[in-house]
Amino acid sequence: MARRTMAVLPQWSSRIFSVEQEGAPLYFAIQEKHRGAEVPQVFRKVLQHDKCYSLLVCSSDRVRKAKFYWELKDKLLKDLPPECDLSPMSSFLPNVKDSLIKGYFLKDSCESSSSTERLLRRLTQHDPVLVCSYLRGEDGRLWTQHLWSDAECPTMETSKNYYVVPSEAPEYHPSTLNIINSDVFYSFQEAYEVLKKCGDIIPEATSVLELLPSRVEARRKPDFPVIVIEGLDATGKTTLTESLRDTLGAALLRSPPQCLSPWRAHFDQEPPLIRRAFYALGNYITAEQIGQEGMKTPVIVDRFWHSTAAYAIATAVSGPVCNLPAEGSEMYRWPSDLLQPSLVVILTLDPEERKRRLRDRGQEKTVEEHKLDHNQLFRLRVEEAYRRISGPACVTVDASPPADQVLQQVLLLIRGKCHL
């Protein structure tokens, strides 16, 4: 068996498998002996001639694994027959951190699956992919999972067979197992290590690393208050932050910082692990700037760590708000080595009014802004993740009144909290 799979195989039969269909995860498990269980939901609509496969990306090099998984979908959509249906899937050990392995579930409706199996065999020869096929029993109900052995075997024999059985949904959404220092970074060093490993494959990563401050500078406490303004696009952040700058005689900073602008478009196309590390390090650059400006004057910051974390958590976890990490989870804690602001204000706005303002702007939207517009569940997850972040927590302000009224309300908060 290939070395890359050895780490997962000893606990293979203890793993749960999740397949995303129509925005909701469907779960199944495997067992070595047949105990007469019903058919898992993911297989109930599979037709008699359909063939099913799973591909799980396994590698100890998490940067390579992230890059390969990110590019695998396009490769499969390009090379597979059009009759094939692809769904995101994962495999995990319940309640075991960092046990999540991502991949794809494939339903092949071709009368002959030979071309599909040739492609899967090629993938397993050189790439970090673990392939399973799923076969229906003669009674039409019982399904078995066949774990492929190394693809250099021309007969494509399998190493072991398991019976497929339904599984209850886990206590927590499986994506939460891998959020810490993968989707959200909680220290300078963890984010730094990811970009450092990218140096050989992403030249832009080296340029970003050259801009980074020391960890001491990123948490230096300034003499003057630091006020962060958060909120979704078109809630009035720019108007408010500029008004606060003028009213308080403050410095105005933005996160991600301007110095990262030349590379943002590139990193927005990278896998989440690399993209999130890039934006996490942007917060530390902003923190250094806050420390310098905050020695002379109050500082207003347009977005900071709350945005980075809230969007990442809401993207990693699918489905309704109840799938988010529980309130009080360590995933909402502020990084211990990142400067904490004196006050964080989040502007909220009715969704329809926010859409109207976006239309009036006529600006291009980010991928995440498109998701906010078309996916109500994603918007609700982002808003709830904002609310749950602590250290410091956000103070909510209604942004629907005229801009001068919003300004006065925020000034009252600042004078009460920061004594300005």
Side-chain angles (χ1 to χ4, degrees), residues 41 61-62 84 128 178 283 306 309 323 329 342 363:
Q41 190 173 348
D61 183 339
R62 65 180 188 146
C84 290
N178 282 36
N283 285 324
H306 283 74
N323 285 350
S329 164
S342 315
Q363 293 178 342

Side-chain angles (χ1 to χ4, degrees), residues 321-355:
V321 168
C322 63
N323 285 350
L324 288 173
E327 193 157 4
S329 164
E330 60 182 331
M331 291 169 222
Y332 299 117
R333 63 175 169 82
W334 192 271
S336 61
D337 61 352
L338 182 64
L339 180 147
Q340 285 193 18
S342 315
L343 173 67
V344 180
V345 173
I346 181 166
L347 300 178
T348 61
L349 196 61
D350 174 78
E352 292 306 314
E353 172 62 16
R354 199 182 70 84
K355 284 184 182 180

Side-chain angles (χ1 to χ4, degrees), residues 53 113-122 148 156:
Y53 307 88
S113 59
S114 57
S115 61
T116 299
E117 293 192 350
R118 280 197 300 272
L119 170 62
L120 299 183
R121 196 177 301 127
R122 286 200 306 272
W148 289 17
M156 202 188 69

Side-chain angles (χ1 to χ4, degrees), residues 58-115:
C58 305
S59 173
S60 57
D61 183 339
R62 65 180 188 146
V63 169
R64 183 186 179 214
K65 181 168 64 175
K67 287 281 283 183
F68 183 81
Y69 172 74
W70 190 244
E71 296 163 357
L72 179 59
K73 182 178 181 180
D74 288 340
K75 180 178 180 61
L76 292 172
L77 290 174
K78 174 175 168 289
D79 295 342
L80 285 169
E83 296 85 353
C84 290
D85 181 57
L86 208 61
S87 302
M89 81 170 294
S90 61
S91 170
F92 59 95
L93 294 167
N95 300 320
V96 178
K97 287 183 182 178
D98 298 322
S99 66
L100 188 77
I101 306 169
K102 293 183 177 181
Y104 297 98
F105 186 81
L106 171 61
K107 186 177 75 171
D108 184 359
S109 299
C110 299
E111 291 189 10
S112 169
S113 59
S114 57
S115 61

Side-chain angles (χ1 to χ4, degrees), residues 20-59:
E20 289 276 340
Q21 293 197 340
E22 299 179 357
L26 303 176
Y27 298 98
F28 67 89
I30 55 175
Q31 56 191 27
E32 297 188 22
K33 295 181 180 180
H34 174 42
R35 299 188 180 94
E38 61 179 295
V39 178
Q41 190 173 348
V42 70
F43 294 102
R44 289 178 193 169
K45 293 184 180 179
V46 177
L47 302 177
Q48 190 66 38
H49 66 279
D50 293 343
K51 300 286 180 62
C52 295
Y53 307 88
S54 60
L55 300 84
L56 294 168
V57 181
C58 305
S59 173

